[in-house]
Amino acid sequence: MAQIQQINGDYYGSKETLTEALPYTKSDNNYNAAINNFFGIADKELSIYDDAVFYYKQALKDATDSVSKQSPLNNIAVVYIKQNKIDKAISILESILNKKVLNDKDPSIIRSKSRVLDNLGFAYFKNGNPDKGLKFMNEGLKLRNQSEDFYGSIESYLHLAEFYAKTDVKKSNQNAQNAYQIATKFHSIDERLKALSLLISNGSGTQYVQKYISLNDSIIKIRNNFKNKFAKIKYDSKKEKDENQKLKLEKAENLLALQEAKYQKIVGIIFLIFLGIVIVVLVRYYKNKNRIIRIKTAYDTETRIAKDIHDELANDVFNAITFTQTQPLSVENTKETLIQKLDHIYTRVRGISRENNDIETGVNYSDNLKEMLSTYNSKSTNVIINNIEKVIWNEIDEIKKVTIYRVLQELMVNMKKHSHAPLVALTFDSDQKFVFINYADRGKGAEKNKIVKNGLQNMENRILAIKGTITFDTEPDKGFRVNIKLPK
């Protein structure tokens, strides 16, 4: 529609129609390029040259290949010629000619090349280089005639008419008449007016003045009528479209009401059946899930107890038995040593029992946690507990309390087995949203990539399960540090 309006000289109407088309072309660069090119043509014909260059450059950005870039580039050069920016125009046109794509034998490529040659020649002429300009303009006209681009030859004849206007009036008039005859054949009013204007400026007779006035008055009247007719066509089309859309909508609403009444009961029954199935499935799922969790927890506990008994308690018992078999029990010192060994075994049994007992999460949780941590105090290890009372433990749910207890217990066991730290410090803190626990010891430490991962992985999994974070930091001979952050 916009293109038809431009053909009929309605450039403002064309821009309005192009604006309506824009929302439909966001995902297609080919259409975007075409629309911006048409915007540029409209502004060029309306002598709004800066805007024309802007739109041609937008079309250039949206062009998808080197061939489609040639048209907006050429159009930019044409505007630069009209703005008397001749050097810029020549630079663009020469860059187009240097492209290998214009060596193609395709008719459309030949027409594009002839247009560029003609415009380049006209630019050289305007830049004070008439010989070079005439050479290129003649080459362009020759290519146009060979490719039977007769409509394009109108522009060549008009350029040659202007070229000869001051040096050879006869040749100028001949070229202007050629342009007029071909433009008349193609019903191209604007080109006919340009040709008549050149003939008039050359003083070729009053008959051309009369033709110009008559043709100009006629085209103004025709274009005004066209604008009104086109506006009415657009209005009638929109009105008919809106009415059809309204009828379709009413019909669809009636059908929907009938179908809704028909299927409402069926949908209700299906929904109730589906809801019942979902409830049954969810109940079974959560029962199985809880059973699996209990089984896994029991298995993990049993595995840990078995490992503790095998790795630690069994060795101590075996050593005690060996001691009784090899040492005379009648000696007082031997009895004392045996009692110490048995007491050590008893302490270990109590430790294993304590590590696997149920955890009190009520009002005595803080005291129990502090007591558990304090049991790791010994002659060789000093455990310092800071600010445990600052945390309001009754604001934290039971699962998180159990997790904190087990993680800290594993940390202390890890310290006792691996770090052998002389000093351990645990610092507690909290704010409105989070609880913070910082652990640090002055034990052996280790390289980060050589940390024994099993126990640490258990701690990490426990903390992640309650949406918290845990980080480990250690270096050889620089101790072991753990930072825990978890939501209340």
Side-chain angles (χ1 to χ4, degrees):
M1 289 167 67
Q3 187 176 13
I4 293 168
Q5 286 173 292
Q6 288 194 3
I7 291 170
N8 288 275
D10 182 13
Y11 296 108
Y12 285 111
S14 173
K15 290 176 70 174
E16 183 180 341
T17 305
L18 289 168
T19 303
E20 291 178 35
L22 277 174
Y24 302 98
T25 65
K26 290 180 180 177
S27 59
D28 194 319
N29 284 342
N30 290 319
Y31 281 117
N32 282 331
I35 284 176
N36 283 311
N37 199 53
F38 280 129
F39 267 123
I41 292 170
D43 283 334
K44 181 194 74 174
E45 295 300 326
L46 293 169
S47 300
I48 311 173
Y49 295 131
D50 288 338
D51 285 357
V53 170
F54 170 79
Y55 284 116
Y56 286 142
K57 286 182 177 179
Q58 290 299 115
L60 194 60
K61 288 180 184 177
D62 293 328
T64 54
D65 55 70
S66 56
V67 175
S68 55
K69 291 180 186 290
Q70 308 310 314
S71 179
L73 277 172
N74 178 78
N75 292 340
I76 291 171
V78 170
V79 174
Y80 282 155
I81 293 172
K82 291 182 178 294
Q83 290 181 303
N84 205 31
K85 298 176 181 178
I86 309 300
D87 290 334
K88 282 188 174 183
I90 290 173
S91 177
I92 291 172
L93 293 167
E94 284 184 339
S95 72
I96 297 173
L97 279 181
N98 291 331
K99 299 285 184 184
K100 291 183 179 180
V101 68
L102 290 186
N103 296 326
D104 201 306
K105 299 299 181 182
D106 183 88
S108 63
I109 300 298
I110 294 173
R111 284 194 292 272
S112 177
K113 184 175 182 178
S114 62
R115 182 170 63 248
V116 172
L117 284 168
D118 178 53
N119 287 328
L120 181 59
F122 190 65
Y124 274 123
F125 157 61
K126 288 288 187 178
N127 206 35
N129 195 340
D131 294 338
K132 200 170 185 179
L134 181 62
K135 174 179 174 291
F136 281 119
M137 283 190 284
N138 283 332
E139 284 182 23
L141 178 59
K142 183 179 178 181
L143 267 182
R144 278 171 163 164
N145 289 332
Q146 286 176 353
S147 61
E148 298 184 347
D149 179 16
F150 300 119
Y151 182 80
S153 68
I154 298 172
E155 193 69 20
S156 289
Y157 285 124
L158 289 173
H159 283 166
L160 287 168
E162 188 172 343
F163 175 85
Y164 286 115
K166 293 183 180 180
T167 57
D168 193 332
V169 175
K170 185 176 179 181
K171 283 187 178 181
S172 177
N173 287 340
Q174 183 60 52
N175 282 293
Q177 286 170 355
N178 288 341
Y180 181 82
Q181 290 170 4
I182 298 171
T184 302
K185 181 180 177 181
F186 282 96
H187 305 289
S188 182
I189 302 299
D190 290 327
E191 280 76 9
R192 287 171 69 188
L193 289 172
K194 287 179 184 177
L196 288 171
S197 177
L198 285 166
L199 288 166
I200 292 167
S201 64
N202 287 340
S204 301
T206 56
Q207 73 270 23
Y208 294 117
V209 177
Q210 293 298 325
K211 280 186 180 182
Y212 185 92
I213 294 170
S214 175
L215 189 62
N216 193 48
D217 290 344
S218 174
I219 195 60
I220 290 172
K221 184 177 179 181
I222 290 170
R223 285 178 174 173
N224 285 337
N225 289 337
F226 171 79
K227 290 177 186 178
N228 294 331
K229 183 179 178 181
F230 205 80
K232 187 175 185 306
I233 290 170
K234 286 178 73 175
Y235 173 77
D236 291 344
S237 174
K238 187 176 186 302
K239 184 179 178 182
E240 183 180 353
K241 183 180 178 181
D242 290 344
E243 288 175 355
N244 288 338
Q245 191 68 25
K246 185 178 178 182
L247 289 172
K248 286 180 181 179
L249 185 61
E250 289 175 356
K251 185 178 178 180
E253 286 175 349
N254 291 334
L255 287 173
L256 185 62
L258 291 172
Q259 289 176 351
E260 187 177 354
K262 183 178 179 180
Y263 294 117
Q264 193 170 19
K265 289 184 178 179
I266 297 173
V267 171
I269 293 169
I270 292 172
F271 175 75
L272 288 173
I273 293 171
F274 176 76
L275 185 61
I277 293 170
V278 169
I279 290 171
V280 171
V281 169
L282 286 175
V283 169
R284 288 187 177 181
Y285 169 76
Y286 281 111
K287 280 184 178 179
N288 288 334
K289 184 179 179 182
N290 291 333
R291 185 171 64 84
I292 290 167
I293 290 171
R294 286 197 299 272
I295 291 170
K296 187 177 185 304
T297 303
Y299 173 78
D300 289 344
T301 302
E302 290 170 3
T303 302
R304 186 170 61 253
I305 293 171
K307 187 175 185 300
D308 288 342
I309 291 172
H310 179 271
D311 290 352
E312 298 179 6
L313 194 58
N315 289 337
D316 291 342
V317 171
F318 178 77
N319 288 334
I321 292 169
T322 303
F323 183 80
T324 60
Q325 291 173 344
T326 58
Q327 301 296 324
L329 297 179
S330 58
V331 179
E332 189 64 32
N333 288 341
T334 305
K335 286 181 180 180
E336 184 66 29
T337 302
L338 178 59
I339 290 169
Q340 288 177 0
K341 286 182 179 292
L342 292 174
D343 184 62
H344 181 67
I345 291 170
Y346 173 72
T347 303
R348 282 188 178 276
V349 171
R350 285 195 64 189
I352 293 170
S353 175
R354 183 178 61 249
E355 288 174 12
N356 296 283
N357 279 345
D358 290 337
I359 298 168
E360 168 63 45
T361 58
V363 293
N364 296 321
Y365 174 78
S366 174
D367 294 335
N368 291 338
L369 178 60
K370 192 172 183 179
E371 182 183 351
M372 181 274 290
L373 295 171
S374 299
T375 58
Y376 290 91
N377 264 314
S378 67
K379 293 180 180 179
S380 59
T381 302
N382 184 18
V383 179
I384 301 172
I385 303 167
N386 295 318
N387 301 327
I388 194 169
E389 298 81 7
K390 285 187 69 175
V391 180
I392 305 173
W393 295 103
N394 60 7
E395 293 181 352
I396 302 170
D397 65 49
E398 291 185 1
I399 293 174
K400 291 177 182 175
K401 287 180 182 178
V402 171
T403 300
I404 291 170
Y405 192 99
R406 290 300 185 203
V407 167
L408 293 181
Q409 194 174 54
E410 288 188 37
L411 266 175
M412 300 306 289
V413 170
N414 184 72
M415 177 275 298
K416 189 174 180 181
K417 287 182 179 179
H418 303 294
S419 294
H420 305 295
L423 180 64
V424 178
L426 288 112
T427 304
F428 295 80
D429 200 358
S430 68
D431 58 21
Q432 292 181 348
K433 294 182 179 180
F434 297 98
V435 174
F436 307 94
I437 303 171
N438 295 322
Y439 167 95
D441 69 37
R442 292 185 181 176
K444 294 179 179 180
E447 293 182 16
K448 287 184 181 180
N449 58 351
K450 293 182 180 179
I451 295 177
V452 178
K453 197 64 180 172
N454 291 339
L456 302 185
Q457 189 67 57
N458 289 337
M459 296 180 220
E460 192 170 13
N461 290 339
R462 287 178 186 271
I463 295 297
L464 291 177
I466 57 172
K467 298 182 180 178
T469 60
I470 182 168
T471 57
F472 304 98
D473 186 19
T474 182
E475 289 183 29
D477 300 321
K478 291 190 179 180
F480 189 77
R481 289 169 294 282
V482 181
N483 295 316
I484 300 170
K485 176 183 175 183
L486 53 102
K488 284 187 175 180

